[in-house]
Structure formats: structure tokens, C-alpha cells
Amino acid sequence: MIEPISDRLCVKQSCSKGRRNDTYQQALDDFGITQLLSRLSNYCDAEFNATWIHLTEQEIDCIAALLIQQLTVNLKGSVIGNYLHILRTCQSEIISDLPATEFKAISTPQALPEDFPQNTIPPLFWCGDRIRWIPVADEPETNSGIIIGRFFAYAQHQAQWTWKYLIWLHNSSNVVVVDTAWEQDIEPISEEPVS
């Protein structure tokens, strides 16, 4: 069984950060992110059962990010106006049944930008560059490797075209030896000076 989100977030954050973590947790609660993650981890209907599928924490976070992105892409003035009207007329009452919104699938461009490659930002990394994934707070150890290729692709999470790299992994398992990464997710490994 998946543990409650509030417990999961408290465990991930060290108590030594004190007020900053409390503020971060409060922001997650205030903007409904904690509730969204909890709902996703326990969601069940005729088409989907989160418990049966055994969603990982990373999968839940990714689904939440995609749902937020989907909402952002599908915003319409009429929907915003309806919600604003509800907020203004309900004053201090609790809003429990907000109107449902239909979402369209996020579309991915099927052709390169017209100004490619003339006005494209040059890649930061080249074949042979040693890189590592940028560490995140709760996972300081990251994979590293060597760039063996790159391609220009549409990044849904950024809503723009950008570079994606093909990386030969160091210390990989026998199953996965190559991975891909977006440019903003990796950083160079500095060469250590020989003494």
C-alpha cells in the first residue's frame, strides 16, 4: 500500500531545514498538489486502479505534472471566468463541486520549426563530452556517461523545441547501457587535474 503523501513528503525532507520545509509543504497544500498526489496514489474507477497498478512515487509525480500541463494547455477564458464567478459569489463558503472541464490531448508539432537550424540555440554538449544527471535534493548520487549523439526534439514539459542527448552510461546494469536526457537535466563532469 502506498503511504499517505503528507508522510511521504515529511520523510523526504530533512527536519534540519525547518521553516523552509514547512513553507514548502504549506505551498504544496495551499495549491492542491498534496491532495492531487494523494488522489492519484489512491485513484480507482472502472478504467484505472492505482493500487492494482502499483504506481511508483516517480510515476505519481510525473502523472501529476502531466495533468497540470494538460490543464495549462487547455485553459479557456470562459472556464477561468466561471471559476472566478464561483469564487466571488461564494465568498467564505467551501466550494466542493466545481464544474468539470473537458481536456483535449496535448498536441506535439509534427514538423521542425521553420527557422531550424539557422535560429536554433546551439547544443551545449558534443559527442564525447562526459556528463552526469543534475543531482536532486533527495538523490545526490546520479548516473553519468558520455554523449554519443543528440537530436532536436519537442519537449512537452517545456512547450518548446530543444536538444536531447543520447548517453552511453558508466556503471550501467546489463539491461540498460544507453539513456536519453534533455539538455537542462544534465551537466558536464569537470576533468580532474592530474598532479
Side-chain angles (χ1 to χ4, degrees), residues 23-190:
T23 304
Y24 179 75
Q25 181 64 47
Q26 185 64 48
L28 290 175
D29 293 343
D30 289 348
F31 290 101
I33 304 299
T34 303
Q35 296 86 341
L36 175 61
L37 294 172
S38 179
R39 173 93 176 175
L40 286 172
S41 68
N42 300 300
Y43 191 84
C44 181
D45 70 5
E47 298 173 5
F48 186 84
N49 184 330
T51 305
W52 182 76
I53 300 219
H54 303 291
L55 291 172
T56 67
E57 184 177 330
Q58 183 178 9
E59 289 170 330
I60 292 168
D61 293 347
C62 288
I63 291 169
L66 289 169
L67 288 171
I68 292 168
Q69 180 185 20
Q70 184 96 16
L71 175 63
T72 304
V73 168
N74 286 288
L75 275 180
K76 291 184 178 144
S78 61
V79 173
I80 296 170
N82 287 338
Y83 283 118
L84 180 60
H85 175 72
I86 291 168
L87 290 171
R88 287 184 175 174
T89 58
C90 290
Q91 296 173 1
S92 63
E93 297 173 21
I94 297 175
I95 301 169
S96 59
D97 291 322
L98 293 173
T101 302
E102 289 294 322
F103 294 113
K104 300 178 298 186
I106 297 173
S107 62
T108 300
Q110 299 299 311
L112 284 169
E114 290 181 19
D115 59 354
F116 179 83
Q118 295 81 10
N119 293 325
T120 303
I121 296 172
L124 292 177
F125 303 101
W126 300 92
C127 286
D129 286 353
R130 293 171 26 97
I131 60 88
R132 71 178 186 155
W133 273 258
I134 295 173
V136 292
D138 57 343
E139 294 178 25
E141 294 296 318
T142 66
N143 285 334
S144 62
I146 297 175
I147 303 287
I148 59 173
R150 69 178 177 270
F151 55 95
F152 202 59
Y154 188 77
Q156 286 280 357
H157 63 289
Q158 294 181 330
Q160 69 180 11
W161 289 85
T162 187
W163 292 103
K164 194 165 191 177
Y165 296 89
L166 189 60
I167 302 160
W168 186 270
L169 299 173
H170 294 149
N171 304 323
S172 67
S173 66
N174 292 334
V175 179
V176 178
V177 295
V178 175
D179 200 354
T180 59
W182 295 105
E183 192 166 77
Q184 81 275 2
D185 295 330
I186 56 178
E187 63 185 7
I189 297 176
S190 59

